[in-house]
Amino acid sequence: MKTVKIFLMALVAVCGMIVSGADMPVKKMSVEAVMTAVPDVAYRNHSAFTPKNPSVNKWLMIKVKYTMDSCSSFTPEVKYSRQSGVAVSFPGWLENVELRVQVIFDTGVSVKSVPVRVLFTGSSVFHSIKRNGKEHLAVMFVPAKVLDRYCSHWGGAAKVSKGMFSVKAEMFVGGRALATAFSSNIPGKSESGKDTGFEKMLKLIPKQLSLENAVLPRSRSPWALLSPDDYDWEVDKSVGSVQE
């Protein structure tokens, strides 16, 4: 029984990095919106099922750049005590990081001089991010078919431009915010970085125009297989975080 107890305690002790109040591993973060064409991928040995006249619509790409702090050690640290069993930590890695994105789009329609806007939200979860002092990149996407529904006033998703989207990106570990960034085109942004314009627009969006999970992680987009090693390790939220 004693052996089993130590083993169970060891399993509980295997954990990632816990961010303390004085430790802010994300030093800088920025976000921008870009309208982009879908990658042209060629497949073999499949039956044709796409229209002969392909769509010219573009997807909205949300690009988030974030710079990590520097850690001197990337080797797992293993400690053992009779009371606690085996404890493993990874000081050079930030684990189970969630990137949440909110996108506000002006439909071009007004009601009593009040612009009608729509909110797209989504998130990506990363198993681990290396604290290597370098800039990292994450991308998320709003599909053209989603945009088409709300931008008919502008002539469809093929006609809208990146300046029509206001974006807020937040990074979390364990529910605690590490960094926040806004796109540069939002009115009412103060020099301190706190954005009042975005929150004001957010309050005026009706619930039926708030679309959860409309902003897709890279792994659920046509960009999923392009240069995968250029991005941090993304995990599928539907199956939970990776357990070690």
Side-chain angles (χ1 to χ4, degrees), residues 70-86:
S70 296
C71 186
S72 58
S73 174
F74 299 100
T75 303
E77 295 182 355
V78 182
K79 297 181 180 179
Y80 172 80
S81 68
R82 184 168 296 180
Q83 292 77 20
S84 303
V86 178

Side-chain angles (χ1 to χ4, degrees), residues 23-99:
D23 188 3
M24 294 302 290
V26 181
K27 296 303 180 183
K28 184 172 63 175
M29 188 165 79
S30 65
V31 61
E32 66 172 324
V34 179
M35 293 300 296
T36 181
V38 175
D40 187 7
V41 181
Y43 291 94
R44 296 181 178 180
N45 300 324
H46 74 93
S47 299
F49 54 86
T50 55
K52 292 183 179 180
N53 298 317
S55 172
V56 294
N57 285 342
K58 294 183 177 181
W59 288 40
L60 178 68
M61 174 191 289
I62 307 300
K63 298 173 64 176
V64 181
K65 296 179 180 179
Y66 48 98
T67 302
M68 305 300 296
D69 64 351
S70 296
C71 186
S72 58
S73 174
F74 299 100
T75 303
E77 295 182 355
V78 182
K79 297 181 180 179
Y80 172 80
S81 68
R82 184 168 296 180
Q83 292 77 20
S84 303
V86 178
V88 182
S89 63
F90 296 82
W93 302 84
L94 191 63
E95 300 187 353
N96 292 321
V97 183
E98 182 179 14
L99 176 63

Side-chain angles (χ1 to χ4, degrees), residues 66 95-97 99 124-129 138 232-235:
Y66 48 98
E95 300 187 353
N96 292 321
V97 183
L99 176 63
S124 294
V125 177
F126 302 98
H127 173 269
S128 54
I129 298 176
D232 290 308
W233 180 8
E234 186 181 304
V235 295

Side-chain angles (χ1 to χ4, degrees), residues 123-235:
S123 65
S124 294
V125 177
F126 302 98
H127 173 269
S128 54
I129 298 176
K130 195 172 186 178
R131 302 173 65 185
N132 55 5
K134 297 181 180 181
E135 184 179 79
H136 297 238
L137 173 66
V139 289
M140 298 182 68
F141 300 89
V142 180
K145 294 299 183 183
V146 175
L147 297 176
D148 248 349
R149 177 178 171 90
Y150 299 97
C151 63
S152 57
H153 174 83
W154 304 110
K159 303 294 183 180
V160 297
S161 63
K162 65 179 185 179
M164 299 177 181
F165 300 91
S166 301
V167 187
K168 178 181 180 180
E170 298 175 283
M171 190 168 283
F172 294 84
V173 168
R176 178 171 178 260
L178 297 183
T180 303
F182 298 89
S183 56
S184 59
N185 63 320
I186 303 173
K189 184 183 296 182
S190 65
E191 292 183 359
S192 64
K194 294 183 179 180
D195 186 88
T196 56
F198 191 91
E199 301 304 327
K200 287 180 179 178
M201 290 188 291
L202 204 59
K203 292 178 181 178
L204 296 177
I205 297 176
K207 187 175 181 180
Q208 59 267 35
L209 289 180
S210 179
L211 283 76
E212 295 183 4
N213 302 317
V215 185
L216 303 180
R218 184 181 56 85
S219 60
R220 294 183 57 198
S221 78
W223 286 261
L225 300 179
L226 296 180
S227 305
D229 287 337
D230 290 345
Y231 304 91
D232 290 308
W233 180 8
E234 186 181 304
V235 295

